[in-house]
Amino acid sequence: MIIVMKMGATQEEIESVITSIEAMGFAAHVSSGKERTIIGIIGNERPLTPDNFELLPGVERAMRVLHPFRLASRDFKPENTVIPLNGEKIGGHKVVLMAGPCAVESREQMREVAYAVKEAGVKILRGGAFKPRTSPYSFQGLGEKGLEILAEIKQEVGLAIVTEVMAPEQVPLVSRYADVLQIGTRNMQNYALLHAVGASGKPVILKRGMMATLEELLLSAEYILLTQSNAPVILCERGIRTYEDSTRYTLDINAVPVLKELTHLPIVVDPSHGTGRWQLVGAAARAAVAAGADGLLIEVHPWPERALSDGAQSLKPDKFARLVVELRRVAEAVDRSL
Ligand code: PEP
Ligand code: MN
């Protein structure tokens, strides 16, 4: 942290700042210029609060030097984290597709969609058994029955399973069935849940809170990484809330290159929730791959008009298959494969 003293700060004020720094177990490095004195705090500044230093007499400003997250940062680990899953490598050269319905509704629906996405080249199937719905009157998911259907389909079709876990006490149950635990946008800052999924050892897809900054997303990832330092965490941009209301959310494509700069963790994009309309999913997905996303999480439903959740943003299997062909061309254009 850097503390900038006010112009004309007295020697006594400077000494007193140094004393406070040393009392907290840090070393102070003083640099006295013609106009101002600057004091550097040497050591892990993350537990410190800059605002507190600004309360001391003679201090003008206190600024952090380090990113507030450490284990998630590229400074800590310069090379990309690669997470192996069912023959895929999330965060590697190949852009990885994860597809399936918003919610598990029936065995027939899951079987239909699983074979269709597998045919299109997908190895990871998504589907929610516990659904975080905005209205308590909406379909809440099949719960454990949904997990059982996922397990059967996984066995039969040979796909890895991504499914959401909504509460810490559900983690042991959901972990028995899922290959990847999804933390939904509404739970990005549920710290008890972040600890629980971290401790499970399973790969985690951490969705960005719809009103969270990228720094907040990375601090949530840091919670998981602190539970287990090489915890396999995959970040997901899924759209944020803005004043624009012609789409369900505003997909923040900038998040992809910004996160690539800041972190070694893989980044996937969810163009389904990010747009809310199946007609827009293709354009958003192509943009995500062009921007450098490591994967996509796409909602596919065999009968969207009958879907119990998110039918409007779900692609039918034939449209999904055509999109995969287009995405492959985009991936090749940016020196990736798909
Ligand atoms: C989902 O993936 O179906 C879902 C509920 O996502 P989000 O948490 O991003 O709304
Ligand atoms: Mn959904």
Side-chain angles (χ1 to χ4, degrees):
M1 190 169 301
I2 290 174
I3 297 174
V4 181
M5 300 301 293
K6 283 186 177 144
M7 223 183 269
T10 65
Q11 195 53 38
E12 203 183 1
E13 287 168 338
I14 295 170
E15 298 282 329
S16 129
V17 171
I18 296 170
T19 309
S20 311
I21 293 170
E22 289 173 351
M24 283 184 274
F26 291 86
H29 182 275
V30 182
S31 114
S32 324
K34 266 212 190 94
E35 298 190 26
R36 279 172 202 263
T37 296
I38 289 170
I39 305 171
I41 302 183
I42 317 296
N44 176 14
E45 62 173 26
R46 289 190 183 87
L48 302 177
T49 313
D51 292 3
N52 286 5
F53 289 97
E54 291 182 359
L55 298 174
L56 296 173
V59 172
E60 181 161 297
R61 257 175 309 141
M63 293 164 292
R64 291 187 186 280
V65 176
L66 302 171
H67 289 303
F69 43 87
R70 186 173 85 94
L71 301 174
S73 74
R74 267 220 195 265
D75 302 335
F76 177 76
K77 181 171 181 280
E79 71 282 4
N80 289 335
T81 286
V82 177
I83 299 171
L85 189 68
N86 200 23
E88 300 278 34
K89 290 195 178 84
I90 304 170
H93 180 261
K94 185 174 170 219
V95 178
V96 175
L97 297 178
M98 302 174 229
C102 181
V104 178
E105 298 168 6
S106 67
R107 186 171 288 109
E108 297 64 43
Q109 170 230 25
M110 288 310 298
R111 180 173 291 122
E112 188 84 17
V113 83
Y115 280 112
V117 298
K118 187 180 182 182
E119 178 73 25
V122 171
K123 297 199 174 64
I124 305 165
L125 179 68
R126 62 149 290 152
F130 295 98
K131 293 304 302 176
R133 305 305 301 281
T134 301
S135 164
Y137 300 112
S138 302
F139 175 60
Q140 303 287 306
L142 295 180
E144 190 163 0
K145 173 89 182 102
L147 296 175
E148 284 164 9
I149 294 175
L150 285 170
E152 271 178 46
I153 300 297
K154 169 183 166 148
Q155 193 68 20
E156 179 182 326
V157 189
L159 296 165
I161 302 291
V162 181
T163 197
E164 178 158 357
V165 57
M166 285 170 54
E169 59 275 15
Q170 284 174 353
V171 171
L173 172 72
V174 179
S175 299
R176 281 208 294 280
Y177 296 92
D179 299 291
V180 180
L181 301 174
Q182 178 175 316
I183 302 290
T185 188
R186 294 159 183 84
N187 268 321
M188 187 199 85
Q189 288 179 315
N190 180 340
Y191 301 117
L193 182 59
L194 299 179
H195 275 294
V197 297
S200 77
K202 292 268 177 185
V204 176
I205 292 185
L206 177 63
K207 294 188 108 180
R208 178 184 184 179
M210 61 179 88
M211 287 172 279
T213 63
L214 295 175
E215 184 172 295
E216 288 161 344
L217 170 64
L218 290 168
L219 284 167
S220 288
E222 190 82 2
Y223 268 92
I224 304 175
L225 296 171
L226 272 171
T227 311
Q228 201 195 316
S229 85
N230 55 353
V233 178
I234 301 155
L235 304 171
C236 178
E237 163 60 35
R238 49 79 68 206
I240 51 175
R241 219 169 225 184
T242 68
Y243 53 81
E244 181 53 67
D245 62 1
S246 55
T247 49
R248 187 177 180 191
Y249 295 99
T250 298
L251 187 67
D252 182 12
I253 287 289
N254 294 348
V256 177
V258 171
L259 288 170
K260 281 282 161 201
E261 246 174 38
L262 294 175
T263 182
H264 53 87
L265 298 171
I267 296 126
V268 305
V269 170
D270 172 350
S272 308
H273 292 86
T275 58
R277 288 161 55 192
W278 70 266
Q279 296 92 331
L280 309 178
V281 168
R286 293 188 296 268
V289 173
D294 296 304
L296 295 169
L297 188 63
I298 300 183
E299 288 188 340
V300 179
H301 197 296
W303 318 290
E305 60 289 348
R306 282 197 263 144
L308 298 180
S309 67
D310 290 350
Q313 67 193 34
S314 299
L315 291 177
K316 288 186 183 166
D318 61 329
K319 293 211 167 59
F320 174 72
R322 282 202 290 277
L323 175 60
V324 173
V325 175
E326 291 173 8
L327 292 173
R328 196 160 286 138
R329 299 211 304 268
V330 178
E332 280 158 15
V334 293
D335 292 327
R336 304 280 291 263
S337 60
L338 183 144

